Amino acid sequence: MPRGFTEQEKEKIKEKLMVEAKYLFSQFGLKKTSIQELTKSVGIAPGSFYTFFNSKEELYFEIIEQEEESIKREFMNFDITSAQDPKQAIKNLLLHALTMIEENVLINQLLFDNNYDILLRKLPKEKLEAHLENDSDTLAQITSKWKDLGILRKVDEDVLAGLFRALFTMSLHKNEIGENVYPQTLELLVDLIVDGLFRKEK
């Protein structure tokens, strides 16, 4: 039986577990990282793992959510009112976010190593739905500011969320698009999306 932990111990162990798991998942991936390796890295028994998470997939998912938060902060902290050319500033912001996604090892694993399919099977449906809802709410907060400023067309929030979600999963189709033209294709697509969403200046 796993021994009990004080609340303070639980907080410290969970924090350390998140840090160590991020390293192990980044190095070896979700499939090749075992619960034994995760618990050994923080000095607890394998059975104690379930005091903190229901599965290693749940731990992995929490780390992915942390990684995505850094990308969301880029959008939340972006002040369009200070930009001389708002349209170009948002194009640059989207391209920067796409670069962050492509360079993030864990998010790449999620997209390319079938980890998303594993999460679909292993995680409660409501947890995944809550994640998607949070993504949509964050986007709605951002785009509503742009709408209030009168620079963004009135488009249904769910449609906007779907549009940006499609854009951010473009890297999944790099081979089909053609790696040699992928950067230029992505940049052109961002140009067309932003040009289509923004009101024309009078």
Side-chain angles (χ1 to χ4, degrees), residues 161-172:
L163 176 65
F164 285 112
R165 199 171 288 124
L167 178 63
F168 291 142
T169 55
M170 277 283 291
S171 55
L172 281 169

Side-chain angles (χ1 to χ4, degrees), residues 93-111:
L93 177 67
L94 288 172
L95 289 170
H96 177 59
L98 286 162
T99 299
M100 289 178 71
I101 289 169
E102 288 202 14
E103 292 178 350
N104 188 291
V105 175
L106 289 169
I107 293 177
N108 264 273
Q109 285 180 8
L110 181 70
L111 296 175

Side-chain angles (χ1 to χ4, degrees), residues 116-132:
Y116 188 70
D117 290 337
I118 294 171
L119 295 181
L120 284 176
R121 292 196 305 271
K122 295 279 188 175
L123 293 179
K125 183 181 177 182
E126 58 270 18
K127 195 173 186 72
L128 292 168
E129 288 176 347
H131 176 76
L132 291 175

